[in-house]
Amino acid sequence: MADLHILRQHALGLADARKVAFKWAEHAEEELGMRCIYEEGKTVDEVSFTRSGVHGTLSVTKDKFELQAKLGFLVGAFKARIESEIIKNLDDLLTPKPKLRAHVKPQVSKNK
């Protein structure tokens, strides 16, 4: 059995971290075929996830995400790929998106 441990610090606070965790759980269900159970707590939320050959938890606090998973024998052969995909997905969700500004047409002066 292979183990995964991924830790990411953030400055989102619990309310915004919770939104990111929901998005992560949706992605895990839709793209990875995981069954996720989300449990909200006062200071920590926990997403339990499972599928054949994989089970683990994503703990969410006001300042960190901590994922721990156990990979079965067959899935463990793909540990590096699985770990890099999880890291990429989590980092993408934690990276602030630039705010789009409305395109403003410059005013043309007609004083000649």
Side-chain angles (χ1 to χ4, degrees):
M1 238 188 211
D3 291 338
L4 284 180
H5 183 245
I6 299 168
L7 180 64
R8 288 292 181 267
Q9 302 291 331
H10 66 80
L12 298 173
L14 186 56
D16 286 337
R18 190 172 275 153
K19 292 174 188 173
V20 170
F22 275 123
K23 287 181 186 176
W24 184 88
E26 286 175 352
H27 173 80
E29 287 183 335
E30 293 169 6
E31 302 296 322
L32 305 175
M34 297 282 182
R35 180 174 173 267
C36 296
I37 298 171
Y38 198 102
E39 294 180 47
E40 283 187 19
K42 192 170 189 169
T43 59
V44 89
D45 288 3
E46 190 168 278
V47 181
S48 299
F49 55 91
T50 187
R51 69 169 272 178
S52 180
V54 179
H55 68 275
T57 58
L58 174 66
S59 297
V60 182
T61 67
K62 65 179 179 146
D63 59 358
K64 72 179 177 184
F65 284 85
E66 186 168 12
L67 183 137
Q68 295 190 54
K70 294 214 178 278
L71 308 178
F73 179 72
L74 295 176
V75 177
F78 300 100
K79 178 185 176 186
R81 183 174 176 200
I82 292 167
E83 187 171 33
S84 69
E85 283 295 317
I86 291 171
I87 289 170
K88 179 187 179 305
N89 180 257
L90 194 52
D91 287 348
D92 285 350
L93 289 170
L94 288 171
T95 302
K97 307 293 184 260
K99 294 186 179 188
L100 298 176
R101 295 188 326 180
H103 181 68
V104 178
K105 259 188 172 175
Q107 297 234 342
V108 179
S109 176
K110 295 188 179 186
N111 296 336
K112 286 192 179 184

